């Protein structure tokens, strides 16, 4: 069974940094578009960042631009989300999601939930003030 597994979430003080990892069993992330989403308490899940399969095109939500960086290490079959200058409003469960590149007709990664059909269970990030 295909699984995405997130790790790296923990409690950190405001201004601190964390790096989240998303790994996969039974598939090669090199051929997938991968995104990070998050759901804060009492809020709907929102897109944070995404990366394409081949050329590494990335996209970020306005709220994290300049602070978060998504990257992919194909040798390790892992996608990372480096989060710097964390704020209390970044507190959320962070989810990794993926879609096969052959299913992406636009050729551009997006932050729309419905475009991803593989999801992880999430990892909790808590930023204290």
């Amino acid at each position: 069974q295909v699984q995405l597994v997130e790790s790296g979430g923990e409690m950190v003080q405001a201004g601190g940094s964390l790096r989240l990892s998303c790994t996969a069993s039974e598939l090669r992330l090199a051929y997938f578009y991968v995104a990070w989403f998050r759901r804060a308490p009492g809020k709907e899940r929102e897109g944070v960042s995404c990366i394409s399969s081949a050329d590494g095109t990335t996209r970020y939500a306005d709220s994290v631009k300049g602070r978060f960086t998504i990257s992919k290490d194909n040798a390790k079959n892992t996608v990372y989300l480096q989060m710097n200058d964390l704020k209390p409003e970044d507190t959320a469960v962070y989810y990794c999601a993926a879609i096969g590149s052959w299913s992406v007709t636009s050729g551009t990664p997006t932050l729309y939930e419905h475009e991803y059909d593989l999801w992880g269970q999430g990892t909790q990030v808590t930023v204290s003030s």
Side-chain angles (χ1 to χ4, degrees):
Q1 183 177 356
V2 175
Q3 282 188 317
L4 298 178
V5 180
E6 304 94 335
S7 62
E10 60 181 77
M11 181 177 289
V12 64
Q13 288 189 332
S17 298
L18 284 175
R19 188 177 76 165
L20 305 183
S21 299
C22 172
T23 60
S25 61
E26 308 297 332
L27 59 86
R28 295 291 301 169
L29 290 179
Y31 303 113
F32 286 74
Y33 285 45
V34 180
W36 287 95
F37 291 81
R38 66 185 182 186
R39 177 179 281 138
K43 296 186 178 181
E44 294 187 351
R45 189 157 56 186
E46 64 173 350
V48 175
S49 182
C50 54
I51 187 167
S52 66
S53 57
D55 62 6
T57 299
T58 59
R59 183 165 293 186
Y60 297 92
D62 288 342
S63 59
V64 305
K65 281 180 181 177
R67 300 188 297 121
F68 290 12
T69 303
I70 191 171
S71 62
K72 183 186 289 187
D73 186 333
N74 291 332
K76 295 183 178 180
N77 203 35
T78 301
V79 173
Y80 300 103
L81 183 68
Q82 177 67 43
M83 306 186 295
N84 298 328
D85 190 23
L86 283 161
K87 304 175 181 181
E89 51 263 42
D90 294 318
T91 295
V93 177
Y94 283 72
Y95 299 89
C96 176
I99 181 74
S101 60
W102 54 90
S103 299
V104 182
T105 57
S106 68
T108 303
T110 75
L111 294 177
Y112 297 119
E113 280 191 58
H114 67 270
E115 296 197 356
Y116 296 87
D117 57 7
L118 296 172
W119 290 83
Q121 295 299 306
T123 185
Q124 176 71 48
V125 172
T126 303
V127 184
S128 61
S129 57

